[in-house]
Amino acid sequence: MTQKKKTVKKSKRKLDRTSKIILIGSAIIIVPFLIFGFILLSATFNTGKPIFGDRFKGDLDPAITNANMSDISAKIKSESGVEKVDVELASATLRVYVDISDSASKEDASNVANAAYDAVTNILPVGTYFTLRDNMKMYDLEIHVYNLSKDRDSDSFVYVIKNKSSTMAEPRIQVVSEPLDAELAQQLRDDVENRKNPTPTPDDNEMTVGGAEDGNEAQPDAGAGDQPKE
């Protein structure tokens, strides 16, 4: 009886070990398939849906509000010569578009750009909103001042941009309607006009029959069979 009991116990232990090995092996095989199936189903259900992210998470603190932009717009509209103001905030950049009178000069536009910059920074201090600090990304500022002259190729058209990124120590102003290299700009305009109106060239198949410079028509050479009679 004792020998039989020992044999039965050994058989049970072998079966238990075999069962454990089978279970562990099955789990090792099945789990990756389950994970792959879950990923595949998730991708199928999310097909066509946009993925939203926030690349400025933890940055832009404090934030620029709609109330701030309304105050900026009202302040700039009170400046002399300003006809229209649009304030937009996109991709961490505050853009201010100022339409001034058509007769305004580049000096007038530059003065308005400086006044608009002061108006913005009085409401939103530069060091708080438009300067990189503590490795935190902050806003960039662009101020566009222009007139809507119909003839944008004439000297009456003016476009001035004053901008400051969060990495710049001081703002920069530029009259973008005035080329930095006037000669190069004129050459590019001429090249465009030449492409639009190319100079016609004579057709290779056409033969021009003309005389010599003295006005006498060229005579055909006398051939061998056309010798003059004596």
Side-chain angles (χ1 to χ4, degrees):
M1 290 294 292
T2 303
Q3 186 66 30
K4 288 183 179 180
K5 285 181 180 180
K6 289 182 179 180
T7 303
V8 171
K9 286 181 180 179
K10 288 182 180 179
S11 299
K12 286 183 177 180
R13 287 177 183 175
K14 289 182 180 179
L15 288 173
D16 292 340
R17 289 178 182 176
T18 303
S19 300
K20 288 179 181 179
I21 292 171
I22 293 173
L23 288 173
I24 293 171
S26 300
I28 292 173
I29 295 172
I30 293 173
V31 168
F33 282 98
L34 291 175
I35 294 172
F36 178 75
F38 176 75
I39 294 172
L40 186 62
L41 287 174
S42 298
T44 302
F45 289 131
N46 292 324
T47 299
K49 294 181 180 180
I51 299 175
F52 296 99
D54 186 2
R55 64 190 179 97
F56 298 110
K57 188 175 181 180
D59 299 319
L60 307 180
D61 185 22
I64 296 175
T65 64
N66 290 331
N68 295 144
M69 293 191 289
S70 297
D71 293 341
I72 290 169
S73 179
K75 181 65 176 176
I76 297 175
K77 282 180 181 178
S78 64
E79 296 292 334
S80 176
V82 174
E83 296 183 349
K84 185 181 178 182
V85 178
D86 289 318
V87 182
E88 299 178 359
L89 182 61
S91 297
T93 302
L94 182 68
R95 293 185 177 92
V96 180
Y97 298 93
V98 185
D99 178 15
I100 57 179
S101 61
D102 294 352
S103 60
S105 64
K106 65 179 180 181
E107 289 79 12
D108 297 331
S110 297
N111 291 334
V112 171
N114 290 328
Y117 180 85
D118 292 339
V120 172
T121 54
N122 284 335
I123 296 171
L124 304 172
V126 174
T128 304
Y129 289 89
F130 304 108
T131 302
L132 185 69
R133 53 188 172 81
D134 300 329
N135 294 324
M136 181 188 296
K137 295 179 181 177
M138 293 307 295
Y139 295 94
D140 297 336
L141 174 60
E142 293 180 6
I143 296 175
H144 301 252
V145 180
Y146 51 87
N147 62 13
L148 291 179
S149 175
K150 294 181 180 180
D151 187 5
R152 297 194 176 187
D153 292 329
S154 71
D155 295 335
S156 60
F157 175 61
V158 176
Y159 199 130
V160 173
I161 297 178
K162 185 166 186 175
N163 72 293
K164 183 192 182 305
S165 69
S166 61
T167 58
M168 293 169 58
E170 296 294 334
R172 178 181 59 184
I173 189 169
Q174 182 182 355
V175 182
V176 295
S177 56
E178 190 174 86
L180 296 177
D181 189 335
E183 184 177 349
L184 176 60
Q186 187 59 47
Q187 180 182 345
L188 294 175
R189 293 191 194 99
D190 294 341
D191 291 342
V192 171
E193 288 299 322
N194 290 335
R195 285 196 294 270
K196 290 181 179 177
N197 303 302
T199 303
T201 55
D203 191 348
D204 293 339
N205 294 326
E206 294 181 358
M207 295 181 63
T208 302
V209 178
E213 293 182 358
D214 58 0
N216 296 326
E217 293 184 358
Q219 299 295 329
D221 294 336
D226 296 329
Q227 297 292 334
K229 296 181 180 180
E230 294 180 357

